[in-house]
Amino acid sequence: MATTNLAPYFRILINGSTELTAGHYGLIQSLTVEASADGADELVIRALAKDPGGKPGSSWKFLGENVLAPGNLVTVEAGYLDGDPPVVLQRFRIHAEAATYPSSGAPEVEIRGYSPEAALGAYTRPRAWKGPIADSVIVQEIAEAHGLTVTGDSLEPTAERVTGRVKAKGTSDLVFLAQLAVANGYGSPIVRYDPETDGDVLYFRAQVVDE
């Protein structure tokens, strides 16, 4: 009788289409996805930078624009070998890679990436919106300014306000969106990758997914 293999596994897609090679997967020592309800999700990959059994002077496998270089978009999927098809956990932009050189063995590399909330959290320029205007319209403008999308399911309309809104100097777009969510009795705004549209969707509604 055949046995079922429910060992966990993951897939990494680079810029939407290129998957890591078997040689890359074999060097990965750990992969961690840390989800946050009020900030950016974080991806941390720790790997051997090169094949420890390779020839002296062989090239590093985790360097180069087609691998996990800073700036690349990385989609992480996870599942079980004999289970249902893998599900998308999140899409991250690689922000940094750092190498370490142990006293023996191959050099190691740590790669960190963050979900789109990181960009929302980094943008702190002040802005004012004149009334009458609905908070949901402001949310859509902010989403589009960051290359995010909203859908009828992800953005719940709010009532139009007579007065406008002001985002104070030093307040990030992420904090401002959270303030608007509280003002409307909504859940914390989050971003989720949608593989069907290959887009990052901002959720701003009373009940937010996966919170």
Side-chain angles (χ1 to χ4, degrees):
M1 183 174 63
T3 59
T4 301
N5 188 348
L6 292 180
Y9 80 104
F10 58 86
R11 295 179 67 221
I12 297 176
L13 299 176
I14 305 166
N15 295 329
S17 59
T18 304
E19 184 175 1
L20 288 184
T21 66
H24 288 109
Y25 283 124
L27 297 178
I28 293 178
Q29 298 174 307
S30 67
L31 180 148
T32 305
V33 173
E34 183 172 344
S36 171
D38 56 2
D41 298 342
E42 183 181 35
L43 168 68
V44 180
I45 297 174
R46 294 183 173 89
L48 298 178
K50 58 191 298 185
D51 187 349
K55 298 179 180 179
S58 59
S59 61
W60 285 32
K61 289 186 174 294
F62 280 93
L63 293 180
E65 62 181 17
N66 295 323
V67 195
L68 299 179
N72 280 349
L73 290 171
V74 174
T75 306
V76 179
E77 301 177 353
Y80 296 92
L81 290 178
D82 290 344
D84 295 329
V87 297
V88 174
L89 298 181
Q90 183 59 289
R91 181 162 71 171
F92 303 86
R93 185 175 295 279
I94 301 300
H95 278 243
E97 59 183 3
T100 58
Y101 300 86
S103 57
S104 62
E108 300 171 358
V109 63
E110 180 180 274
I111 299 160
R112 290 183 179 269
Y114 297 94
S115 63
E117 287 96 337
L120 289 168
Y123 192 84
T124 58
R125 183 175 299 177
R127 184 177 175 185
W129 289 265
K130 294 181 178 180
I133 191 170
D135 286 344
S136 54
V137 173
I138 296 174
V139 170
Q140 183 167 355
E141 288 185 8
I142 292 175
E144 292 174 350
H146 287 276
L148 308 176
T149 60
V150 295
T151 67
D153 180 62
S154 74
L155 178 62
E156 189 168 335
T158 61
E160 189 173 81
R161 292 166 42 89
V162 176
T163 57
R165 290 282 192 187
V166 175
K167 190 184 79 150
K169 182 179 180 180
T171 300
S172 71
D173 279 356
L174 185 61
V175 169
F176 183 64
L177 289 174
Q179 293 172 346
L180 296 182
V182 171
N184 289 277
Y186 288 0
S188 299
I190 62 172
V191 179
R192 288 291 178 265
Y193 174 64
D194 179 12
E196 293 187 2
T197 62
D198 190 31
D200 296 306
V201 180
L202 174 65
Y203 284 82
F204 182 87
R205 53 182 300 122
Q207 185 175 0
V208 178
V209 297
D210 295 337
E211 186 176 40

